[in-house]
Amino acid sequence: MKHVFIAGDAYSSGFFDLDLESDEELSLLPSLSIASYHVARFALVMRDHGLEGIGVFPGHVLLVSDYSLEPIIGRPVLIRQEGRFLVRIAADVNPVECCFTTTREEDVPLILPSENIRIVGVISGMIPQEKD
């Protein structure tokens, strides 16, 4: 088993703050045990309903990896824009603009210029927890 640190809460409905400046700061946070083969760098706790259509409910722990060996289209990703973060599904990613969605019909797709965002990580796993 290995340990990943829980860096904070995650939202798909709006951008949130997250301190990911250094691994040293992450090491001061609470952690959880995961399988030793997993490549997750840290974890986030989902706090809204935007990914319920893919089985991610509030309170579930998202495992975030730095990269993916598979295409990210159709997968949840951690996005950074102007120092704030968001977890959404990558619907389209190209050099001009990127489109990110949720699984809720009432949520408007988010279209952002590619030059203004960074995909920080891919949600590479999820650990179910008690629903809030």
Side-chain angles (χ1 to χ4, degrees), residues 105-118:
E105 287 187 28
E106 58 267 29
D107 291 338
V108 177
L110 182 62
I111 299 173
L112 299 169
S114 296
E115 65 190 25
N116 292 346
I117 62 117
R118 179 169 177 233

Side-chain angles (χ1 to χ4, degrees), residues 23-80:
D23 286 339
E24 184 177 319
E25 288 179 22
L26 277 176
S27 70
L28 301 175
L29 299 171
S31 66
L32 58 98
S33 296
I34 62 172
S36 59
Y37 61 80
H38 207 290
V39 294
R41 180 173 164 238
F42 58 91
L44 298 170
V45 179
M46 192 68 187
R47 293 298 180 195
D48 65 21
H49 301 273
L51 301 180
E52 285 183 353
I54 58 172
V56 178
F57 295 91
H60 286 187
V61 177
L62 304 175
L63 301 175
V64 182
S65 298
D66 286 334
Y67 60 89
S68 175
L69 298 177
E70 303 170 17
I72 62 168
I73 302 299
R75 295 183 61 192
V77 295
L78 178 63
I79 308 154
R80 184 180 75 204

Side-chain angles (χ1 to χ4, degrees), residues 75-94:
R75 295 183 61 192
V77 295
L78 178 63
I79 308 154
R80 184 180 75 204
Q81 181 187 34
E82 297 178 8
R84 303 205 70 211
F85 296 84
L86 183 70
V87 174
R88 287 232 171 164
I89 298 168
D92 184 29
V93 177
N94 65 62

